[in-house]
Amino acid sequence: MSTILVTGGAGFIGSHTCLVLLEAGHDLVVIDNLCNSSEESLRRVEGLSDKSFVFEKIDLLDQPALEQVFVTHSIDAVIHFAGLKAVGESVEDPLWYWRNNVAGTLNLVDAMNRADVRDLVFSSSSTVYGMPEELPVTEAHPLGPVSPYGKTKLAVEDLLRDVAASKPGWRVALLRYFNPVGAHPSGEIGEDPTGIPNNLMPFVMQVAVGRRERVAVFGSDYDTPDGTGIRDYIHVMDLAEGHLAAVERLERFEGCEAVNLGTGQGYSVLDVVRAASGAAGREIPYELVPRRPGDVAAVWSDPGLAKAKLGWQALRGLDEMCRDSWHFQSRNPHGFAKT
Ligand code: NAD
Ligand code: UDP
């Protein structure tokens, strides 16, 4: 069993992954500046796993503090979730996104290099593919992100490809997630966005719980069976298990390699609203509104490489995603802060 440094471990995907890593017997050192999360998620991870771990409130931009983590702890591998992820915000303040996501990762990789830690799993995104030219999207699809957020993800991928090529020993998995949703089945941890949710599932859940009036369905004139956008939603527990598989199989990564984490199955916005209504046991009101600028009609993954390389595939379907999202939302109607 190894000691894994998890950056951004208090966040949505990080907290679920921490739980799965602890249950698999790994020791954890978690760092997070809590700019988009709460320490409460980590307390709940400790409760669910009945295990404790080190947590340090550290910003990736604080290079001396980051270096010290590698001096204090004997780290075997790093899973790097910490980053900003709101597309609209990245358009308004690209400098903040480039500094936090790219300079932050530069600091991390620098600290790893000095400490001789060369095993890394990075949170990339399907957004690096930009406009899909063919479906399903394989890892060989051309890269061309549109938003500043997506460009920071591609910049970090490029940085990691260069570093891994510079000397032997680096083993880097770039995990390109599709649309993470859902929550741990206990309803103890889940997605708790600050402000108005940008993403579909948390918005739908806040409507279901009565915090918002209705879902605005962005676009009903796409060239899809029901006219609404299609995405590859993936349960966060599947994603967490994908990280466990990646970090335990880094010996299969010579240098730096990208792997899609998706289900390979696309669902429309109306499919999600319908499944969420079933899970919540109530009609979720919605209205059809114009398309959101920058959105594409349909994207879903080819998850074949993940199966071949990691021995991992997503197991949970849309109903389970909605059931677990609803369980978290109904137990924590105002998220972590006010429960
Ligand atoms: P999240 O915001 O819940 O988690 C990110 C965590 O990183 C937060 O706890 C935040 O406080 C922390 N953080 C941000 N900047 C930091 C810094 N400079 N120093 C220390 N901590 C910092 O987001 P998430 O949904 O869990 O996403 C995790 C990662 O996965 C992100 O890198 C994101 O870009 C990527 N990703 C997410 C999605 C998605 O839809 N959720 C899709 C593809 C990729
Ligand atoms: N969407 C929507 N209403 C919302 C949020 C999203 O209709 O309030 C649609 C969006 O147009 C896309 C899908 O839901 O077709 C998923 O959007 P999300 O922002 O969750 O993820 P994206 O794929 O854009 O990263």
Side-chain angles (χ1 to χ4, degrees), residues 8 10-14 32-37 58-61 81-85 100 123-125 149 153 177-178 180:
F12 171 42
I13 306 168
D32 199 301
N33 67 0
L34 304 179
C35 71
N36 196 39
S37 53
I58 288 177
D59 193 311
L60 288 182
L61 297 175
F81 293 105
L84 301 169
K85 60 167 184 176
N100 195 80
S123 295
S124 190
S125 167
Y149 163 67
K153 287 289 171 195
Y177 320 150
F178 281 68

Side-chain angles (χ1 to χ4, degrees), residues 197-200 203 215-222 227-229 231 269 287-293 295-296:
N198 297 302
N199 295 114
L200 179 64
F203 201 103
V215 179
V217 175
F218 298 145
S220 51
D221 57 351
Y222 286 111
T228 68
R231 297 290 183 275
V269 176
E287 63 177 330
L288 305 177
V289 303
R291 296 178 180 193
R292 182 171 65 178
D295 273 354
V296 300

Side-chain angles (χ1 to χ4, degrees), residues 162-185:
D162 285 350
V163 169
S166 69
K167 57 180 161 189
W170 282 94
R171 305 188 298 185
V172 181
L174 309 172
L175 302 184
R176 294 180 180 154
Y177 320 150
F178 281 68
N179 289 59
V181 297
H184 188 264

Side-chain angles (χ1 to χ4, degrees), residues 55 256 295:
F55 170 64
C256 183
D295 273 354

